Amino acid sequence: FRYYSYGWDQTPGAQGPMPYTLAAENDLLIAEGLARTGGDLGRAATLINKTRVTRGGLTPALAGDGATKLLQYIAYENDIELMCTGANGLSERRRIDNLQPGTPRHLPVPAKELETLALPLYTFGGPTNLTGK
């Protein structure tokens, strides 16, 4: 994988330089901001294409694709380009409301805490009871 020297099976592990925030993450955040606020879609497409075309070998994103399509490209690039770079997967999917059905959005409050607060115990209900009621 990308930062092999940080693997659990390396001796010594977690040695050497590793970026805290990748340039690609920053580019995709800027592109998303532009797409969501009616900003310069040409600049957004250029930022997306830094990874989409250069590393991914995909067809270029274009301003003419529109904001909705650019946001789809951004979601894909986040999944592919930022994989294994932190807690990005779950938090990103939760942020854009793209979790699989039945996946909890939050960790539940522990039963002991609910009992201490004299609140009723609850469940998320699993995939057959998505309302949690």
Side-chain angles (χ1 to χ4, degrees):
F1 59 89
R2 185 178 295 173
Y3 301 107
Y4 188 70
S5 62
Y6 276 78
W8 62 269
D9 59 343
Q10 298 305 301
T11 305
Q15 300 293 311
M18 181 176 166
Y20 183 76
T21 302
L22 297 176
E25 183 176 4
N26 199 46
D27 289 341
L28 293 171
L29 285 169
I30 293 169
E32 182 176 353
L34 292 168
R36 288 192 185 278
T37 61
D40 183 354
L41 296 184
R43 181 174 177 220
T46 300
L47 292 169
I48 295 166
N49 288 334
K50 286 184 176 183
T51 55
R52 180 175 172 78
V53 175
T54 307
R55 286 178 51 93
L58 299 171
T59 58
L62 304 170
D65 291 335
T68 302
K69 191 67 173 173
L70 292 179
L71 289 171
Q72 290 173 357
Y73 292 155
I74 291 166
Y76 176 81
E77 289 301 312
N78 269 318
D79 282 349
I80 299 301
E81 188 64 25
L82 303 178
M83 183 186 307
C84 298
T85 61
N88 193 48
L90 175 64
S91 58
E92 177 68 17
R93 293 252 178 215
R94 185 176 66 186
R95 185 181 70 79
I96 63 172
D97 198 24
N98 192 19
L99 292 172
Q100 291 183 13
T103 304
R105 295 185 63 81
H106 317 273
L107 294 175
V109 177
K112 291 283 186 193
E113 182 70 17
L114 292 171
E115 290 171 353
T116 300
L117 297 171
L119 295 171
L121 299 180
Y122 67 92
T123 178
F124 285 117
T128 58
N129 181 12
L130 297 179
T131 63
K133 295 179 182 176

